[in-house]
Amino acid sequence: AQKVTQAQTEISVVEKEDVTLDCVYETRDTTYYLFWYKQPPSGELVFLIRRNSFDEQNEISGRYSWNFQKSTSSFNFTITASQVVDSAVYFCALSERNQGGKLIFGQGTELSVKP
Amino acid sequence: GAVVSQHPSRVICKSGTSVKIECRSLDFQATTMFWYRQFPKQSLMLMATSNEGSKATYEQGVEKDKFLINHASLTLSTLTVTSAHPEDSSFYICSALPGLAGVDNEQFFGPGTRLTVL
């Protein structure tokens, strides 16, 4: 069965600190996709990244970076030099190729960045 | 980029009434749309998969007679909450899949509809 676990319910950091949000997934499929979304207080989901199961290269986009490790079934997200505007709930999600595009979301991690 | 709209963004209704929520893909066609529900401080839970021209597929535990889904065109899916009750109060989010499911599985989300049932 597919499952996504975000063990950190809430994280609080001070501005300019680095923070890593953990994501562990379970799947039996060999072809799958992993996502990260940001949900600010407005509620609208903001797409951050999609990674397919065959691409284990880490990715960096500005202050954001992602570490995908199939060996540990993890897809962790790091924000470098955090800013107050990064405060939001972050969701990791999994989609298996043979499931018609359905997304299974983790429980979410609420990040609070204090000035 | 691909844009998905939802209408209304916020609705308050009395218990027992029905509420219709629209989800539109504005600049692409979507054979598949998804409906999610999110309770406060919780994650998004998939309610159903809406396929253009066919019946929706509901997730386990979701009452299909209560949450009616119609996907009449390639750009519009509607969710009707029938005989709404306070426990149906939630944030409803739709998403649309522009390509073939399983190709890259990127879906685009609407801004959500906040339903409050009094």
Side-chain angles (χ1 to χ4, degrees):
Chain A
Q2 51 182 335
K3 184 180 178 182
V4 177
T5 301
Q6 293 179 254
Q8 304 149 308
T9 306
E10 297 179 8
I11 299 177
S12 183
V13 299
V14 177
E15 210 171 16
K16 297 184 183 177
E17 282 185 24
D18 299 346
V19 58
T20 296
L21 309 182
D22 298 333
C23 173
V24 175
Y25 63 92
E26 294 177 30
T27 178
R28 292 179 183 164
D29 207 343
T30 56
T31 303
Y32 53 90
Y33 305 87
L34 296 164
F35 302 78
W36 275 96
Y37 292 91
K38 175 182 180 180
Q39 188 178 41
S42 65
E44 185 162 0
L45 282 178
V46 177
F47 168 81
L48 296 177
I49 190 171
R50 179 183 73 248
R51 176 64 82 228
N52 74 54
S53 53
F54 298 108
D55 183 1
E56 284 192 74
Q57 272 196 330
N58 292 330
E59 180 152 339
I60 298 174
S61 176
R63 296 183 298 107
Y64 295 169
S65 62
W66 291 269
N67 181 263
F68 177 27
Q69 297 210 349
K70 287 178 77 171
S71 60
T72 56
S73 297
S74 65
F75 187 43
N76 297 337
F77 171 35
T78 298
I79 301 175
T80 303
S82 60
Q83 300 176 1
V84 173
V85 293
D86 296 328
S87 297
V89 180
Y90 291 85
F91 290 99
C92 180
L94 165 71
S95 177
E96 293 176 338
R97 180 165 184 155
N98 64 356
Q99 289 295 313
K102 291 197 293 187
L103 276 174
I104 301 300
F105 285 86
Q107 302 91 321
T109 297
E110 183 172 5
L111 175 64
S112 177
V113 182
K114 301 189 186 307
Chain B
V3 179
V4 175
S5 70
Q6 273 184 250
H7 178 79
S9 58
R10 187 181 295 267
V11 57
I12 301 172
C13 69
K14 292 183 179 179
S15 188
T17 60
S18 294
V19 175
K20 180 186 283 189
I21 303 170
E22 292 186 349
C23 177
R24 291 181 186 273
S25 55
L26 298 185
D27 48 4
F28 64 95
Q29 294 183 330
T31 53
T32 302
M33 290 185 174
F34 301 95
W35 287 96
Y36 297 85
R37 179 169 54 184
Q38 185 181 30
F39 292 109
K41 296 288 188 180
Q42 294 189 25
S43 186
L44 285 79
M45 297 299 295
L46 179 65
M47 298 176 67
T49 303
S50 169
N51 297 295
E52 188 268 337
S54 64
K55 289 183 179 180
T57 303
Y58 291 82
E59 295 299 302
Q60 194 171 6
V62 177
E63 300 174 58
K64 61 181 181 181
D65 294 331
K66 180 166 184 63
F67 299 99
L68 301 179
I69 292 173
N70 183 280
H71 194 155
S73 78
L74 287 171
T75 60
L76 173 65
S77 175
T78 60
L79 168 68
T80 301
V81 183
T82 62
S83 187
H85 290 285
E87 57 265 30
D88 299 322
S89 298
S90 187
F91 192 53
Y92 292 87
I93 306 174
C94 74
S95 69
L97 199 62
L100 291 173
V103 175
D104 63 9
N105 284 19
E106 181 173 4
Q107 54 191 271
F108 298 90
F109 284 85
T113 297
R114 195 165 301 280
L115 170 64
T116 302
V117 185
L118 303 176

